[in-house]
Amino acid sequence: MKGARITAIGSYVPSRRLTNTDLEQMVDTNDEWIVQRTGIRERRISRADEYTSDLCAAAVQDLMKRYGKSVQDVDMVLVATSTPDFSFPSVAAIVQNRLGIPLTSGAIDMSAACAGFVYALHTAHALVSSGLHHKVLVIGADALSKITDYTDRSTSILFGDGAGAVLVESGGDKDHFLGGNLGSDGSGAQHVYRTGLADKVNGVELAATGMLVQNGREVFKWAVRTVPQGVQQVLQNAGAELAEVDWFIPHSANLRMIEPICERLNYPFEQALYSLEYFGNTSAASIPLALDLGIREGKVQNGQRILLYGFGAGLTHAGQLVSLSLDPQVGAPTPY
Ligand code: UT7
């Protein structure tokens, strides 16, 4: 096995803000309820002509500018998303062409909802550490505003748009991916979905509105139960202790879920990083956005151990402990 590491990161959010006050004009809700129950203050919303592939391209442009990186030698593009521009072709193929990535590169979308970025990271690590690939572009991106029902107060207050991208490259002898854990439980498929061809799962009739539908309570209970167990499994697989984890980055679904997850783990809440306060729940983008926020704010440093944990529709979950070893930055991040 060869080593692998994350060498560069970039991210992007659209410029249009949707605040809690804006939402008060759209549905029967209020800023106090939203902040108390979720911790979310604002979300970013794509333009009508701006799609997931556009968010991906902008995140990679940020990465290239900051780290002086080229994508000319990328040999695999993995895009984790639940809101692809089309069922097919893939966002990954569109991004490959847009960014001038070689025609010999593989390109594939991965569907694991809010756990998608960590699933894609796991795959990139497997591809690079096996020696099959050398430079894998991993993007988590979602334009959830395109499938959010802005008449439904239980979902419209949660979701936003964004993208985060990283490069996974050979890391010499040392593997910076210290351990991971994957899981799924399709018996909960009906709790968060958007229908496609079928309108029934597990014998349950689904609402074929073309919009995202969520039973928030059920997903909440499942995640608060499942994520702490998953984190312990990551640590066991990595042979690491929780006390060695410098930053914990759970999926930014809701601040009121991150608190009990930290409590159950007995992990200091101050060392949890999240992107939900000003970006909402951005699904596959939420973890790379939180990581990049931590880097942009100077909190997250090379050499630190970071535990990422995604969870969501499927129901799926995925965790990874990494030791950060980014290349030096040569340019400033593009402001959000
Ligand atoms: O990213 C994929 C994974 N997704 C998640 O992990 C989401 C997990 N779930 C959640 O984040 C939370 O369950 C929600 C934020 C979706 C909902 O929060 P909650 O504390 O679970 O509220 P609830 O659904 O139990 O509703 C409590 C009350 C209800 O009123 P009654 O029946 O008690 O009178 C709702 O009708 O709050 C009401 N309510 C609202 N009130 C004001 C629901 N949404 C709103 C709203 N504004 N936007």
Side-chain angles (χ1 to χ4, degrees), residues 27-30 33-34 37-38 114 153-154 157-159 192 214-217 219-220 223 251 253-254 257 281 283 311-313:
V27 285
D28 180 15
T29 191
N30 56 79
W33 192 96
I34 301 172
R37 299 283 184 128
T38 72
C114 307
R153 70 176 181 174
S154 74
I157 56 150
L158 298 174
F159 300 107
V192 46
Q214 176 172 256
N215 181 342
R217 277 272 118 200
V219 184
F220 193 111
H251 165 49
N254 183 338
M257 295 167 84
N281 177 344
S283 192
F311 57 87

Side-chain angles (χ1 to χ4, degrees), residues 5 174 176-178 303-306 321-325:
R5 66 185 174 102
K174 188 164 179 234
H176 291 77
F177 286 73
L178 307 176
Q304 290 180 333
R305 288 182 169 203
I306 303 163
L321 180 65
V322 295
S323 160
L324 202 65
S325 173

Side-chain angles (χ1 to χ4, degrees), residues 83-105:
T83 48
D85 303 20
F86 314 102
S87 296
F88 55 87
S90 65
V91 174
I94 296 168
V95 167
Q96 173 269 324
N97 175 59
R98 236 344 234 283
L99 297 173
I101 293 169
L103 301 178
T104 48
S105 168

Side-chain angles (χ1 to χ4, degrees), residues 218-266:
E218 285 301 323
V219 184
F220 193 111
K221 282 189 289 185
W222 166 79
V224 169
R225 198 174 61 239
T226 306
V227 175
Q229 292 167 0
V231 166
Q232 295 296 359
Q233 194 59 52
V234 169
L235 293 169
Q236 196 179 318
N237 294 347
E241 300 289 329
L242 193 59
E244 299 170 58
V245 176
D246 296 292
W247 301 105
F248 173 41
I249 312 187
H251 165 49
S252 270
N254 183 338
L255 202 57
R256 304 299 162 238
M257 295 167 84
I258 297 176
E259 288 159 344
I261 288 170
C262 286
E263 242 166 68
R264 282 185 185 212
L265 283 166
N266 200 14

Side-chain angles (χ1 to χ4, degrees), residues 64-320:
M64 292 194 289
K65 190 180 95 177
R66 281 161 70 181
Y67 292 89
K69 287 275 187 184
S70 160
V71 289
Q72 287 302 314
D73 51 351
V74 161
D75 54 11
M76 178 62 87
V77 181
L78 301 175
V79 176
T81 187
S82 306
T83 48
D85 303 20
F86 314 102
S87 296
F88 55 87
S90 65
V91 174
I94 296 168
V95 167
Q96 173 269 324
N97 175 59
R98 236 344 234 283
L99 297 173
I101 293 169
L103 301 178
T104 48
S105 168
I108 189 171
D109 287 1
M110 298 186 69
S111 170
C114 307
F117 179 77
V118 184
Y119 264 90
L121 208 55
H122 173 92
T123 308
H125 170 236
L127 294 175
V128 171
S129 62
S130 67
L132 275 177
H133 289 261
H134 303 288
K135 192 169 181 181
V136 180
L137 181 59
V138 179
I139 311 174
D142 269 302
L144 291 167
S145 66
K146 309 280 186 204
I147 59 160
T148 295
D149 177 357
Y150 286 101
T151 65
D152 174 5
R153 70 176 181 174
S154 74
T155 53
S156 59
I157 56 150
L158 298 174
F159 300 107
D161 302 344
V166 298
L167 277 173
V168 176
E169 299 184 66
S170 309
D173 291 339
K174 188 164 179 234
D175 196 1
H176 291 77
F177 286 73
L178 307 176
N181 178 51
L182 302 180
S184 64
D185 179 3
S187 72
Q190 66 277 14
H191 296 317
V192 46
Y193 63 87
R194 176 189 183 224
T195 53
L197 300 178
D199 54 10
K200 211 181 204 184
V201 70
N202 296 331
V204 179
E205 296 278 351
L206 306 177
T209 57
M211 295 293 157
L212 187 161
V213 180
Q214 176 172 256
N215 181 342
R217 277 272 118 200
E218 285 301 323
V219 184
F220 193 111
K221 282 189 289 185
W222 166 79
V224 169
R225 198 174 61 239
T226 306
V227 175
Q229 292 167 0
V231 166
Q232 295 296 359
Q233 194 59 52
V234 169
L235 293 169
Q236 196 179 318
N237 294 347
E241 300 289 329
L242 193 59
E244 299 170 58
V245 176
D246 296 292
W247 301 105
F248 173 41
I249 312 187
H251 165 49
S252 270
N254 183 338
L255 202 57
R256 304 299 162 238
M257 295 167 84
I258 297 176
E259 288 159 344
I261 288 170
C262 286
E263 242 166 68
R264 282 185 185 212
L265 283 166
N266 200 14
Y267 186 81
F269 175 71
E270 310 72 55
Q271 283 169 244
L273 298 177
Y274 46 87
S275 53
L276 59 84
E277 193 174 5
Y278 291 99
F279 302 148
N281 177 344
T282 53
S283 192
S286 95
I287 289 177
L289 277 172
L291 175 60
D292 201 10
L293 274 173
I295 291 167
R296 286 169 181 238
E297 288 166 8
K299 290 182 183 169
V300 174
Q301 309 280 342
N302 267 350
Q304 290 180 333
R305 288 182 169 203
I306 303 163
L307 201 154
L308 318 171
Y309 216 101
F311 57 87
L315 302 165
T316 55
H317 58 105
Q320 183 66 238

